Amino acid sequence: GAVVSQHPSWVICKSGTSVKIECRSLDFQATTMFWYRQFPKQSLMLMATSNEGSKATYEQGVEKDKFLINHASLTLSTLTVTSAHPEDSSFYICSARDPGTALNTEAFFGQGTRLTVV
Amino acid sequence: GENVEQHPSTLSVQEGDSAVIKCTYSDSASNYFPWYKQELGKRPQLIIDIRSNVGEKKDQRIAVTLNKTAKHFSLHITETQPEDSAVYFCAASRSGGGADGLTFGKGTHLIIQP
């Protein structure tokens, strides 16, 4: 299947600083990527839909000024957690669908980024 | 928006027995229903999926059934093995050419007792 790579795998940052997470589609082009957040022992929650060349679409309750998304190319989306606080500590995972596959339904996930804010 | 309910939250079965996990969804426009297996600290892995024009799909020991009228779908694992122990998530989406994200259930922790 298609490969989605996420970087970094884990990051520790100080409260008040910003952290950037990258999501790359390695062998296909993705006009749309998705960002999820997963707290310990909980489910994945869709945060936002990242659209290449246009503004991201945020889910209800997700602060767009805090979670900045940039999708400047067909293979890269970035999520920047601005002014991070301990409550932002979570597992962040991106996904993308390969438009070249039949039916275009399977979502391929990055390996996730464990963010710890201290 | 879509709401996906998943039951049970924990399921313990003897090795070799079958396991069934059930999900319901609320959005009648959803037409794609994947199941994921997630091990601690790792990315979700797709184990099987079904589209709304199909009532059942099977892949070796794993099967999924879909009742579109009742808006529920189920995962069936037969002849369970220790390596099946993990957290399983159901999800729903309007496939829409890949434009829609997934709404996940809360997950089921499957424990296979030796």
Side-chain angles (χ1 to χ4, degrees):
Chain A
V3 178
V4 174
S5 179
Q6 197 171 330
H7 178 81
S9 297
W10 60 270
V11 58
I12 302 173
C13 72
K14 290 185 177 180
S15 187
T17 61
S18 296
V19 173
K20 180 185 284 187
I21 302 169
E22 294 185 346
C23 180
R24 295 181 184 272
S25 55
L26 297 187
D27 50 2
F28 65 99
Q29 294 182 329
T31 55
T32 304
M33 292 185 176
F34 305 93
W35 287 96
Y36 296 84
R37 180 168 54 183
Q38 185 177 31
F39 291 110
K41 297 186 179 181
Q42 294 190 25
S43 186
L44 289 83
M45 297 294 292
L46 179 65
M47 297 175 65
T49 301
S50 173
N51 304 299
E52 188 269 334
S54 65
K55 291 183 179 180
T57 304
Y58 291 82
E59 296 299 302
Q60 192 173 4
V62 178
E63 299 175 57
K64 61 180 182 181
D65 294 329
K66 181 170 182 61
F67 299 99
L68 301 179
I69 291 173
N70 184 279
H71 195 152
S73 79
L74 288 171
T75 59
L76 174 63
S77 174
T78 61
L79 169 68
T80 301
V81 183
T82 63
S83 187
H85 288 98
E87 56 264 32
D88 298 323
S89 298
S90 187
F91 194 49
Y92 292 86
I93 314 178
C94 66
S95 80
R97 285 166 164 155
D98 182 355
T101 57
L103 304 179
N104 185 27
T105 49
E106 182 177 352
F108 297 96
F109 285 88
Q111 59 265 55
T113 298
R114 173 75 58 193
L115 171 63
T116 303
V117 184
V118 297
Chain B
E2 175 67 281
N3 181 49
V4 177
E5 299 283 343
Q6 182 172 347
H7 299 279
S9 56
T10 303
L11 178 60
S12 181
V13 300
Q14 289 293 127
E15 181 179 351
D17 288 350
S18 296
V20 179
I21 303 171
K22 299 182 179 182
C23 288
T24 61
Y25 62 99
S26 62
D27 187 353
S28 57
S30 289
N31 57 11
Y32 176 63
F33 307 94
W35 286 89
Y36 289 91
K37 177 182 181 182
Q38 188 181 31
E39 297 178 353
L40 190 64
K42 297 192 176 180
R43 76 185 88 191
Q45 292 181 298
L46 179 70
I47 56 171
I48 197 166
D49 57 7
I50 192 167
R51 289 176 63 87
S52 59
N53 58 349
V54 176
E56 183 175 358
K57 184 177 178 181
K58 188 174 181 180
D59 182 4
Q60 299 183 335
R61 297 188 297 109
I62 296 172
V64 55
T65 58
L66 171 65
N67 184 326
K68 194 177 179 184
T69 303
K71 295 198 191 75
H72 64 71
F73 55 114
S74 301
L75 176 71
H76 305 252
I77 306 175
T78 59
E79 300 173 18
T80 53
Q81 301 169 2
E83 53 265 36
D84 294 330
S85 295
V87 179
Y88 291 80
F89 292 98
C90 62
S93 171
R94 304 178 183 188
S95 61
D100 298 284
L102 294 166
T103 300
F104 285 85
K106 291 190 183 300
T108 296
H109 185 191
L110 177 61
I111 302 166
I112 307 301
Q113 303 279 6

